[in-house]
Amino acid sequence: MNPAKLNRRILLQKKSSGGEDESGYPTEPSSDWEDVMTVYASREPLRGREFFAAAAANAELTLRYKIRYRDSITPDMRFKDLNNGRICNITAVLDDPYGDRTETHLMALEERTNA
């Protein structure tokens, strides 16, 4: 993996889990997101079969980001691209394509804002 191509910073977030109240009883999780980590990434274009599969699903905002290998990322997380402010929900975390634990691919859908 060429580190010079990791030219974007993304902030990974997860849903905040419920805590405890003053009595020690569990509380309901809120709808807020908590920051997990900031990593460097590169945005990769969809090509060939991936592009046509995304277009067939009417997911014109499907994106793929490549980061250094991480095993703690799950599909129920999201990230914010700190370069342009886009917020993307992770739909799939793809295993290392070469099997050498060097990179992880994140497939994501950009959140639509009602402006």
Side-chain angles (χ1 to χ4, degrees):
M1 169 181 272
N2 184 357
K5 292 186 178 182
L6 303 178
N7 59 358
R8 305 182 91 73
R9 292 189 63 192
I10 60 172
L11 173 64
L12 291 161
Q13 299 176 323
K14 67 177 183 177
K15 282 267 193 191
S16 63
S17 57
E20 293 182 350
D21 61 7
E22 300 84 30
S23 304
Y25 291 105
T27 59
E28 291 290 323
S30 66
S31 62
D32 296 332
W33 292 88
E34 60 185 58
D35 298 343
V36 177
M37 69 183 93
T38 302
V39 296
Y40 285 94
S42 66
R43 189 170 63 199
E44 302 284 323
L46 297 179
R47 293 191 176 115
R49 190 177 299 174
E50 288 176 331
F51 176 77
F52 290 113
N58 292 330
E60 65 274 1
L61 299 175
T62 300
L63 304 168
R64 178 175 54 196
Y65 281 73
K66 181 169 60 172
I67 63 172
R68 291 180 189 258
Y69 178 78
R70 300 273 182 188
D71 59 356
S72 59
I73 301 173
T74 59
D76 60 344
M77 299 172 84
R78 75 176 188 178
F79 63 84
K80 181 177 183 179
D81 188 331
L82 298 177
N83 290 40
N84 58 15
R86 287 182 174 174
I87 296 176
C88 301
N89 294 315
I90 298 174
T91 57
V93 180
L94 304 179
D95 291 336
D96 187 12
Y98 304 110
D100 57 358
R101 301 175 70 137
T102 57
E103 59 189 55
T104 300
H105 291 237
L106 305 175
M107 300 300 291
L109 288 173
E110 184 179 356
E111 282 188 5
R112 292 180 185 251
T113 57
N114 295 333

